[in-house]
Amino acid sequence: MNIILEIKNCKFLGSGAEGSVYLTEEGYAIKLFKDVNAAKREEEILNITKDSVFFPNTILRIDNILIREYVAGENLYEYLKKHGLSYSLSIEIIELIEDLKRLNFKKLNARNSHIFVDSSEKIMVIDPRKSFTTSTPYPKDIIKILLKLHLFDKFLKDVLRYKPNLLSYWIEGYNYLASIKNHKNRRHRRHG
């Protein structure tokens, strides 16, 4: 197989702690990692999530280069700020977290910049780092976004309507977030 990929023909999408991401002319995302082990770890996680609708599929990894499906859309915060929270998007958020549990993720949190919502209100998550090594039992960043945009009460009503048995989980998530915030405030006052 002969593959020639010219980075100069790709559109730069962004860079982060682990490398840079480009969009190929064929419509794939190519991630150039600074470290080959980071590329291998992401490939392993994406292989574990390949039956999930919430993660892009891997196409190919060569050394520190990972080619995967491109994820279009806006980050969760920007999408919610523009369009609000519909019942169907609430269901997507609920099902995303339930899927992370099903996949045995220890980290049930994803940063806003890694959660994309497309025009059909379908969610995709990119860059699932430390999913099995870091323990975060609640989606604190999603809860923070919903609180900041004054959408958390509506979200809880949607949880109650869709899967009432999960209401206590999301309330516990709110309490978890509040306890982290209180702990940081106390620590800051002691050192301030």
Side-chain angles (χ1 to χ4, degrees), residues 49-56 92 99 102 123-125:
T49 63
K50 68 182 170 209
D51 71 332
S52 172
V53 297
F54 298 105
F55 294 89
E92 274 290 291
D99 202 43
R102 177 188 67 83
I123 290 178
M124 288 284 273
V125 177

Side-chain angles (χ1 to χ4, degrees), residues 99-186:
D99 202 43
L100 297 181
K101 292 176 189 176
R102 177 188 67 83
L103 292 164
N104 294 315
F105 275 37
K106 285 184 177 179
K107 183 179 178 184
L108 299 179
N109 188 49
R111 289 178 36 208
N112 178 57
S113 60
H114 297 165
I115 304 171
F116 286 82
V117 182
D118 70 14
S119 58
S120 302
E121 295 198 327
K122 297 299 177 194
I123 290 178
M124 288 284 273
V125 177
I126 61 165
D127 208 6
R129 281 184 273 164
K130 300 178 183 173
S131 305
F132 300 105
T133 56
T134 302
S135 181
T136 311
Y138 300 98
K140 62 185 180 79
D141 286 17
I142 292 174
I143 294 171
K144 272 189 216 175
I145 290 166
L146 293 169
L147 287 167
K148 185 174 184 174
L149 295 172
H150 307 287
L151 296 170
F152 192 63
D153 286 348
K154 186 207 179 304
F155 177 75
L156 290 180
K157 288 176 187 171
D158 291 345
V159 172
L160 188 58
R161 179 176 161 200
Y162 181 63
K163 286 199 175 171
N165 60 315
L166 294 177
L167 185 61
S168 61
Y169 171 80
W170 286 94
I171 292 170
E172 288 166 15
Y174 170 81
N175 292 333
Y176 174 82
L177 179 61
S179 72
I180 291 171
K181 211 175 201 179
N182 288 337
H183 179 73
K184 285 181 182 178
N185 287 340
R186 279 192 303 253

Side-chain angles (χ1 to χ4, degrees), residues 8 13 16 19 28 47 62 71 93 99 139 146 148 156 177 180:
K8 67 182 179 197
L13 297 176
Y28 295 105
N47 283 336
I62 302 170
V71 175
I93 293 168
D99 202 43
L146 293 169
K148 185 174 184 174
L156 290 180
L177 179 61
I180 291 171

Side-chain angles (χ1 to χ4, degrees), residues 62-76:
I62 302 170
D63 198 38
N64 68 323
I65 300 169
L66 180 69
I67 301 172
R68 62 162 173 77
E69 293 174 327
Y70 171 67
V71 175
E74 296 177 89
N75 69 50
L76 181 62

